Every structure is written in C-alpha cells, then in structure tokens.
Amino acid sequence: MEFLTLNKIDVTYDKKKTVLKGLNLEVKEGELVSLLGPSGCGKTTTLRVIAGFIEPSGGEFILDGRNYTKVPVHKRNFGIVFQSYALFPHLNVYDNVAFGLKLQKLKKAEIKRKVEDMLEICGLSEFADRFPGQMSGGQRQRVALARAMVIQPKLLLLDEPLSNLDAKLRINMRVEIKRLQKKFGITMIFVTHDQEECFSISDKVAVMNNGLIEQYDTPENIYLKPKTEFVARFIGFNNFIPLKKQSGGIFITERKELIQVEQETKLEEGLGTIRPDDILLADETVSENVMNATVGVRTFLGRSYQYEVDSTAGKLVVNAPIGKVYEPGDRVRVQLPKNKIIIVRKSM
Amino acid sequence: MRKNKMLVAFACCVFAFLFLPLFIIAVTAFGGESAITFPIQSFSLKWFANIFTSGSFISSFKTSFQIALFATLLALLVGIPAAYALARYTIKGKNMIQSFFLSPTIIPGIVLGFALYRFIVLVMRMPVFYGLLLGHFLAVLPYIIRVVGSSLSQFDFSIEEAAWSLGCGKVSAFFKVVIPNITSGIMAAFMLAFINSFNNIPVSMFLTGPGVSTFPTNLMNYIEYNYDPTVSAVSVLLMAGTIIIMFVVEKTLGIASLAK
Ligand SMILES: Nc1ncnc2c1ncn2[C@@H]1O[C@H](COP(=O)(O)OP(=O)(O)OP(=O)(O)O)[C@@H](O)[C@H]1O
Ligand SMILES: [Mg+2]
C-alpha cells in the first residue's frame, strides 16, 4: 500500500488548456521524491494539486488511505515551501514559525518550546526577533522550512525552494533539507529543474514532460537507464540512432549496418543512444560496432575535444581526449561500445 | 556647482509660489477691517470668534466630518473586498471593470453630482443626510479601489496561500496576513477619500437640502454674500488642524508609511 497516490489526475486551465493528462504518481512513506522537467511541463501544477490550491477536473488524490481530493487546503496539514518563501512580512521570525501552531490552539508554553526547538535545529535561534525583510535569502529559506516543518506535516511540498540562492548556498541547503528529512522521516515532494540538485537528494525522481510522467525511478536508473528519448535528452544524451531489432542483441540501422547492444530490451524498434563521452575513436584493431566517419566541427571543452562527426549512421557528437587532434575533413573510425548503448522509446 | 544653485533658486520659487497665497490668507484672517485686505491695517481676532458664533460653520463642519468619515468607512468596507477580488482572481472583463472604477475620477464632478441628484433626490427621495452619504460614498469608492488595488498588486499572494496551508481558513487568512500587509495602502486610501469627500462641492451642491449643508457648500454660500475675513480665519483653523494631524501621524506611524 502506497502512502501517497495520484490517480489519473487531470488539470485544465481556463476550460481549454489541458496541463495534466491522467497523471499517476505513487510515493512511499518517508521518501523524498523529486519532480524534474523542463519549464512549463506541469511540475508546479502537480504540486498545487497535492497542496489543494487547484482542484483537479478528474482523478483522485489518496494519502494514507484517505481521499484528499476535495479536502480544503487549511484542513490538509501539509507543509509548503514556496519559491518566493512567502514569509509573513509583518511578523518576526518567531511569529512566522509559531503561526501554524497558534492556529492549532496549543498551550503557549508548548508553542514556545516547539518553535525554539525548530529554530535551534534550523540554526535560526539568534534571528528570532528579526523581520523577514532584514534577512538574507538563505536565512529566509530556512525560516520558510522551519515554518512548514514545525506543524509536523504529513507531507512537505517544496517548489524550487533553492532557485533563488547562489550556487554554494544551494548545495548547503540541499544537504540541510536532506538532513531534516531523514531526521523527521517526512515524506517530501520536491520540484526542481536542476538535475544535479534532484539526483543528489532524491530517493526517486519523476521526470515530467508535457503533463505526463515519462519515467519514475531511482536517480541511478534515470541516469544510467533512461527509458525514453525525452528522458535521455534531458539528462545529457545527445546521440540518437534509429534502430530495429534483428535478433537478440543485434540491431540494424537504417543503412543496414549491424549494431550489437548488450542491454536487454523488449522494444522491437527504437533509438540507440549513447553519451558523447562513451564513443571511442577507434584504431584498426577493433571491429565491433565500428563505423567510418568524417570529422566536422571541433570544440575545445577543457578536458577533451568535442567533435561533430558525420558517420554512416548519421551525425554523432563525440568527446575525445586531447592527446590527438583531428582536423575537419579527417577520416576516422568511431566505435560505439556495446555495453554503453541504450535503447530508448522514441518520444513524440 | 552653478547648476546646483539654480536648482535651489528654482525650488525656492516653487515654494514661494505655493506658500505665498497661504501666507496671505493667514495674515488677512487677523485683520480688523470688514473686508479682506492685505496688508492688514489693524489686528483683531473677531473673525475667529465669528466662526463659532455664527453656528452654521460649526454645524456644517460636523455634517461634513460625519459624511466624510462614514462615507469613507463605508467605501473601505466595500472597496477593500472589491479591490481584493480584482487583484486576486482572473475575472472576465477585468480591465473593463477597472476602467469603470476609474471613470468617476475622470468625468467632471458636476456631471456625477447631477446624475446622483436625478437618482438619489428625484427618484429615490432619500432623506438629505443619507442622500449625501450615498453620494459621497459613490464619489470616493473609486479612490479606495484604486489605491488599495495598487497596494494589493504589490502583494505576493503566495503569502496568503502559505497561511492557508498552515491551517488558516480563507476569511481568517485575509484578516491575519492580507490586511496587515496593506495597511499603508488602506491608510493612504482613507486619507485621500476623506479629504476628497470633505472638500467635495459638485456632488454636495446637488444633494444638500433644507437644513443640511456641508462645510464647503456653506463656505461657498457665505462668500457669495459676505466679503469679510471669516473665510480666512476658517482656512487658518483648517490648516492648523491639518498640520496637527500630520504631526500626530508622523509621530505615530511615520509619514513614510503613507507614501509607501
Ligand atoms: N493559472 C494558470 N492559468 C493558465 N495557465 C496556467 C496557469 N498556471 C500555469 N499555467 C500553464 O500550465 C503549464 C504548466 O505550468 P506549471 O507552472 O505547472 O509549469 P512548471 O513545470 O512548474 O514550470 P516552471 O519550471 O517554469 O515553474 C504552463 O504551460 C503554464 O503556462
Ligand atoms: Mg513551477
């Protein structure tokens, strides 16, 4: 039994613009799940459905065995961290954090204890009397986290919480978030469009495209075994060769070249994809998955050169060590190691 | 540095231009002659005494004050939720509604006054005081909606959503986090509307009736038949009152909060 289930959620804005189309998602208790995807794919919309700000036009949202689809926001008891932090400007840090507890009608002493504990955990004790306007971005971020966590939410939702911070602070804060998540065992849903951020803190990643989840898996599997062209492109694969299965492990290109692939797949037809780093410029001795090619544009990347080569299987991008330099027009042989090729489903 | 001196001189001229008339009025209020003259020939406080003995000034001041206060409060009561709805939700024809609210500030006051006269006095036959109140309410409502609306357009509504998510119902969140963050806008709207109503002539002219007149209409009537410095004395008292109010506001809230 899953802790959180989104079942065929549909969202349509302004009665015509369908943003989510039958979205499904399942999250286990205590997991940190990221929604990753390009701008406009519906991450925020998904989060707002879970938060209760948007009522979906179809589907249901179950949490802990209870149907939450129609429960109003203020009865859900979820913590939410907004991209803009959304702290209460007229209240100091202490009152910001105490806001949710006061509404729960707890005793004064208990509120005080809880708020002070939470401020301590978030490293904010010395700022209790400050107003949000007098704090830095990172500090506000922590206040926003503290305010959302102090009510001991069933679920913590974060919408690009780190996007307003500089690079160094982002890394510190994501470690912090992960630490707090482990400490309290809170189930979290984290929206981001930064891959590295998402891979580093998530237990599971849902890669979204156009209102649908393309792949829902562990960060490792997303990175190493993308299932669709979209996911592969999103995480940095940029060589795609149309292939058809011929027999187990042997695929054929459009130009009738045979390519061996180690990975098992059920797909009869798809795209063979490989990272530029994994393609080798081969000498005469190897013969497996080797193609003739002509060197095109060369770009210096620091650690390596990137070549665009025109191979018999189409244009490929290859990163080669800087030891030997090829000039445009040079004839080379490129090898696609069979254990590095992944077959993915073509995306629309 | 020459440029700077020019600027100072220019600023001085502007100040002189603004303050000289006020200064002259203030001086004439203390003249002993029976008509406004400048400079004054003798010193007297009798015109100040005249304000309080004539009675009509006091009663019309009271009327105006009450009308301005109630009309403004009523307009706040209606205008704040209206401005909120306009800022918060995407309503069909939002721009049209907004320019509709702006229109009374564009069309001449006389036209508005006459239209209200037709409606309130001739059609509805309201008692004079309530007619005035309704007229002023309608005249100041656009100011409230505009000023509070511009204050709300700066407001980050995710703050309100944050309050909901922490367990606050919608109504209570409105009072707990929206209102406290637009107080400066509400104060500014209040001042603007109050002053507008208090000074209003075109609307009041049509809506005042037997026994009820507002301060400015009373003043106007007075000037029509008298040329003595009582009106100057009235102006001095009003200026003094305004200065005192500004001083108190400055001390308690800070003038910056009004300008925000
Ligand atoms: N209130 C709204 N009314 C109409 N369309 C909207 C509304 N909010 C979002 N959309 C549209 O829905 C789509 C998904 O938006 P959403 O905010 O969920 O994207 P996102 O994945 O969070 O993107 P980003 O990474 O830019 O935040 C977008 O095409 C957007 O234009
Ligand atoms: Mg978003």
Side-chain angles (χ1 to χ4, degrees), chain A residues 114-160:
Chain A
K114 285 192 172 183
V115 172
E116 278 171 359
D117 284 354
M118 188 46 82
L119 290 179
E120 175 81 45
I121 289 167
C122 296
L124 289 165
S125 302
E126 54 188 308
F127 302 112
D129 297 327
R130 291 249 198 124
F131 285 85
Q134 308 165 319
M135 305 183 81
S136 73
Q139 291 161 349
R140 284 186 217 179
Q141 177 61 61
R142 275 182 283 165
V143 178
L145 261 173
R147 183 181 68 179
M149 300 241 269
V150 78
I151 59 170
Q152 290 170 313
K154 287 196 248 341
L155 193 61
L156 188 61
L157 308 170
L158 307 101
D159 191 359
E160 308 205 24

Side-chain angles (χ1 to χ4, degrees), chain B residues 27-28 37 60 71 146 152 171 190 236 248:
Chain B
V27 171
T28 57
T37 44
S60 68
R146 295 302 289 189
L152 277 167
V171 176
F190 179 88
V236 168
V248 172

Side-chain angles (χ1 to χ4, degrees), chain B residues 18-34:
Chain B
L18 285 173
F19 280 106
L20 218 56
L22 296 182
F23 174 74
I24 292 173
I25 291 169
V27 171
T28 57
F30 297 94
E33 296 74 31
S34 61

Side-chain angles (χ1 to χ4, degrees), chain B residues 169-187:
Chain B
K170 296 207 171 179
V171 176
S172 133
F174 180 74
F175 287 106
K176 278 195 170 123
V177 305
V178 180
I179 295 283
N181 284 304
I182 57 166
T183 41
S184 58
I186 293 175
M187 280 298 288

Side-chain angles (χ1 to χ4, degrees), chain A residues 13-14 17 19 37-46 160 191 193:
Chain A
Y13 282 117
D14 306 329
K17 199 165 161 227
V19 177
S39 192
C41 69
K43 305 180 295 288
T44 299
T45 305
T46 309
E160 308 205 24
V191 165
H193 56 239

Side-chain angles (χ1 to χ4, degrees), chain A residues 83-132:
Chain A
Q83 185 171 3
S84 61
Y85 314 139
L87 300 178
F88 306 128
H90 62 297
L91 299 177
N92 65 20
V93 169
Y94 181 95
D95 289 325
N96 260 281
V97 177
F99 192 89
L101 296 174
K102 283 182 183 161
L103 290 164
Q104 290 176 3
K105 308 241 182 315
L106 299 180
K107 289 210 184 67
K108 253 219 165 88
E110 197 180 351
I111 292 176
K112 190 163 162 8
R113 184 179 56 75
K114 285 192 172 183
V115 172
E116 278 171 359
D117 284 354
M118 188 46 82
L119 290 179
E120 175 81 45
I121 289 167
C122 296
L124 289 165
S125 302
E126 54 188 308
F127 302 112
D129 297 327
R130 291 249 198 124
F131 285 85

